[in-house]
């Protein structure tokens, strides 16, 4: 496929003129179509600015920091699940800024609290776009929030790099401004079922959190089980606060599954695992989103034997440059190494590489171009692969088991 060329963007950041009246605009509109719709008003605006002897504040490139915006759940019952992730982000940013930043410019991340609420997430991101003039958005923390942002990205022509949701629903249709950095939950479920079929444990129960995450995962698991030849013997919802965990475990035990797929995280996961340990006695497989260190600590000895899919490499063996750099950064911050912090660190490293490739004066469009140019890029032990037609950089998945003392074992 010939390499797509890109004309120089006519603006640096921020909202611009509305599209041509009557033009259809939805999530399937390509960036090229969108730019074409806006080209005439942008050229007129540029000409007016020249005549006035200045440049509009909306199109002026900053010579200082590169500003990145994020909305994520800093409060609420699920806030502990991102504590390590946020620390990983922080140490990655501190490390690059200590070395002079990206192309000589420091990177500043503005993180706002949405309490896991999609409406609040959208409001936060509009503030980041319109008031803070962010060059790119970064890594929302939930499926519903990521879905809510997709039309905003298209309308405002703002890239979003990374998400802490692996939900397939945000990946099924190509989006010109959205990039993922890790494998999807679908990739994780497929790996779980392959492993269980190999172990001849194809009679599987599904426990899913009764919120947008779990509800979206239900059809994903159903389709993957059918493809793998596994049988779903039961599908049991679980309240987000885990209040019905004992009843859910009892209902599942009555169907005698040979393994359980647990599509949940946060307090509900802790409650269900504790209840299931006494009633089920079968392997429980969990997704990477639920492997935060606070949850493992809250489970205590009940965590032992849990199987987790992982979408980033094992972080305790410093056998690659990426993991060695991660260890050094965490040591400098006096923080423990873990999967959740490594996820935040790796996600940020992908962001920073995209910004580096966007040039010395990065714009929103040049960030997109930089990301799309990252074909088979090895970050030092983790490879991402993007193109103009593929914005999902990795399918890496492996399975780990929790051993004594809450330690993950490969």
């Amino acid at each position: 496929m010939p390499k797509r060329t890109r004309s120089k963007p006519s603006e640096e950041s921020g909202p611009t003129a509305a599209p041509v009246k009557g033009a259809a605009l939805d999530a399937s509109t390509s960036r090229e179509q969108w730019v074409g719709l806006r080209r005439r008003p942008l050229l007129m605006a540029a000409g007016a600015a020249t005549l006035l002897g200045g440049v509009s504040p909306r199109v002026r490139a900053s010579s200082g920091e590169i500003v990145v915006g994020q909305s994520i759940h800093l409060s609420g019952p699920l806030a502990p699940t991102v504590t390590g992730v946020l620390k990983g982000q922080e140490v990655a940013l501190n490390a690059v800024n200590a070395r002079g930043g990206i192309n000589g410019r420091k990177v500043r991340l503005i993180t706002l609290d949405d309490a896991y609420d999609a409406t609040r997430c959208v409001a936060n991101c509009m503030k980041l776009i319109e008031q803070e003039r962010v060059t790119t958005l970064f890594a929302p923390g939930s499926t519903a929030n990521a879905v809510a942002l997709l039309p905003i990205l298209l309308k405002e022509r703002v890239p979003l790099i990374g998400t802490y949701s692996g939900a397939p629903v945000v990946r099924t249709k190509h989006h010109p401004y959205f990039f993922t950095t890790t494998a999807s939950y679908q990739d994780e479920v497929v790996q779980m079922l392959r492993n269980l079929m190999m172990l001849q444990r194809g009679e599987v129960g599904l426990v899913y959190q009764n919120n947008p995450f779990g509800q979206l995962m239900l059809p994903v698991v159903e389709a993957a089980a059918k493809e793998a030849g596994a049988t779903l013997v039961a599908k049991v919802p679980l309240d987000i606060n885990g209040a019905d965990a004992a009843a859910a475990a009892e209902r599942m035990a009555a169907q005698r599954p040979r393994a359980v797929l647990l599509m949940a995280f946060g307090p509900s996961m802790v409650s269900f695992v504790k209840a299931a340990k006494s009633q089920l006695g079968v392997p429980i497989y969990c997704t990477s989103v639920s492997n935060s260190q606070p949850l493992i600590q809250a489970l205590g000895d009940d965590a032992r034997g849990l199987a987790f899919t992982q979408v980033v490499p094992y972080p305790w063996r410093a056998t690659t440059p990426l993991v060695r750099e991660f260890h050094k950064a965490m040591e400098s911050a006096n923080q423990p190494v873990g999967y959740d912090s490594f996820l935040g660190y790796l996600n940020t490293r992908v962001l920073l590489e995209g910004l580096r490739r966007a040039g010395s004066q990065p714009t929103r469009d040049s960030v997109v171009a930089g990301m799309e140019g990252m074909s088979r890029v090895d970050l030092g032990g983790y490879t991402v692969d993007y193109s103009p037609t593929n914005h999902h950089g990795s399918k890496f998945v492996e399975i780990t088991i929790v051993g004594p003392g809450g330690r993950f074992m490969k």
Side-chain angles (χ1 to χ4, degrees):
M1 178 177 179
K3 186 176 181 180
R4 186 175 68 193
T5 58
R6 191 187 312 274
S7 59
K8 184 177 180 181
S10 55
E11 66 172 355
E12 302 303 323
S13 63
T16 58
V20 175
K21 184 177 181 180
L25 176 65
D26 60 26
S28 65
T29 308
S30 70
R31 188 171 63 260
E32 288 78 6
Q33 290 172 320
W34 177 245
V35 171
L37 289 173
R38 300 168 72 108
R39 186 176 181 184
R40 181 174 295 178
L42 286 174
L43 290 174
M44 292 172 64
T50 301
L51 289 173
L52 291 171
V55 179
S56 165
R58 289 178 178 242
V59 300
R60 183 182 297 120
S62 169
S63 59
E65 300 170 315
I66 302 172
V67 183
V68 177
Q70 179 182 37
S71 179
I72 201 166
H73 45 287
L74 304 178
S75 65
L78 297 178
T81 65
V82 295
T83 301
V85 163
L86 296 173
K87 181 54 66 174
Q89 292 179 179
E90 180 185 340
V91 300
L93 286 170
N94 288 345
V96 75
N97 284 334
R99 296 193 298 267
I102 298 296
N103 298 322
R105 302 174 69 186
K106 297 293 181 70
V107 180
R108 178 163 62 98
L109 175 62
I110 302 173
T111 300
L112 303 180
D113 179 26
D114 57 36
Y116 209 75
D117 178 76
T119 301
R120 190 166 166 183
C121 176
V122 169
N124 284 346
C125 289
M126 289 306 300
K127 178 180 179 181
L128 291 165
I129 292 166
E130 295 178 345
Q131 298 181 25
E132 302 294 345
R133 307 294 190 205
V134 296
T135 301
T136 184
L137 294 172
F138 180 59
S142 79
T143 298
N145 292 7
V147 168
L149 288 178
L150 294 182
I152 303 297
L153 307 178
L154 191 65
K155 181 180 178 182
E156 302 295 338
R157 295 176 58 206
V158 178
L160 169 60
I161 299 174
T163 172
Y164 293 115
S165 166
V169 68
V170 298
R171 303 163 186 245
T172 53
K173 197 170 187 178
H174 178 75
H175 192 294
Y177 289 94
F178 176 53
F179 299 84
T180 66
T181 61
T182 55
S184 71
Y185 295 144
Q186 182 176 15
D187 297 324
E188 295 185 53
V189 170
V190 167
Q191 188 66 25
M192 291 177 187
L193 290 168
R194 283 177 181 167
N195 184 258
L196 287 169
M197 293 300 289
M198 182 179 66
L199 297 173
Q200 299 184 345
R201 289 180 174 269
E203 295 78 33
V204 179
L206 168 64
V207 174
Y208 62 96
Q209 195 158 275
N210 199 12
N211 73 339
F213 165 73
Q215 292 155 5
L216 287 168
M217 289 306 297
L218 175 58
V220 171
V221 174
E222 290 172 334
K226 182 178 180 180
E227 180 69 21
T231 301
L232 284 180
V233 299
K235 295 173 281 189
V236 177
L238 178 67
D239 195 81
I240 191 170
N241 62 15
D244 59 350
E250 185 177 356
R251 285 180 59 190
M252 182 57 69
Q255 302 304 313
R256 303 179 66 85
R258 307 224 34 220
V260 170
L261 305 188
L262 179 55
M263 300 293 118
F265 64 101
S268 67
M269 174 192 164
V270 175
S271 300
F272 177 80
V273 170
K274 286 182 175 293
K277 285 285 183 173
S278 62
Q279 297 192 52
L280 279 161
V282 299
I284 298 175
Y285 282 64
C286 311
T287 60
S288 60
V289 73
S290 59
N291 72 352
S292 68
Q293 201 59 38
L295 291 179
I296 300 300
Q297 292 171 349
L299 282 166
D301 289 341
D302 288 324
R304 188 168 181 174
L306 290 178
F308 283 85
T309 43
Q310 307 292 354
V311 295
V312 298
Y314 193 73
W316 287 279
R317 294 178 187 162
T319 57
T320 66
L322 181 66
V323 176
R324 286 194 291 271
E325 291 162 9
F326 169 62
H327 278 219
K328 182 178 179 181
M330 294 300 284
E331 184 179 352
S332 296
N334 195 29
Q335 293 293 319
V337 166
Y339 268 115
D340 45 1
S341 54
F342 192 37
L343 175 60
Y345 179 87
L346 188 148
N347 218 17
T348 307
R349 288 290 299 269
V350 177
L351 164 73
L352 294 171
E353 181 62 18
L355 293 176
R356 186 184 70 79
R357 290 167 179 258
S360 59
Q361 296 288 330
T363 68
R364 292 169 181 174
D365 281 343
S366 73
V367 169
V368 172
M371 291 295 297
E372 290 181 346
M374 292 170 62
S375 174
R376 299 296 301 171
V377 172
D378 185 354
L379 297 175
Y382 184 83
T383 298
V384 291
D385 189 15
Y386 299 99
S387 74
T389 57
N390 173 41
H391 284 191
H392 306 300
S394 175
K395 287 184 173 291
F396 172 86
V397 179
E398 65 181 8
I399 293 177
T400 57
I401 305 295
V402 180
R407 295 188 299 272
F408 285 96
M409 304 183 299
K410 293 182 66 173

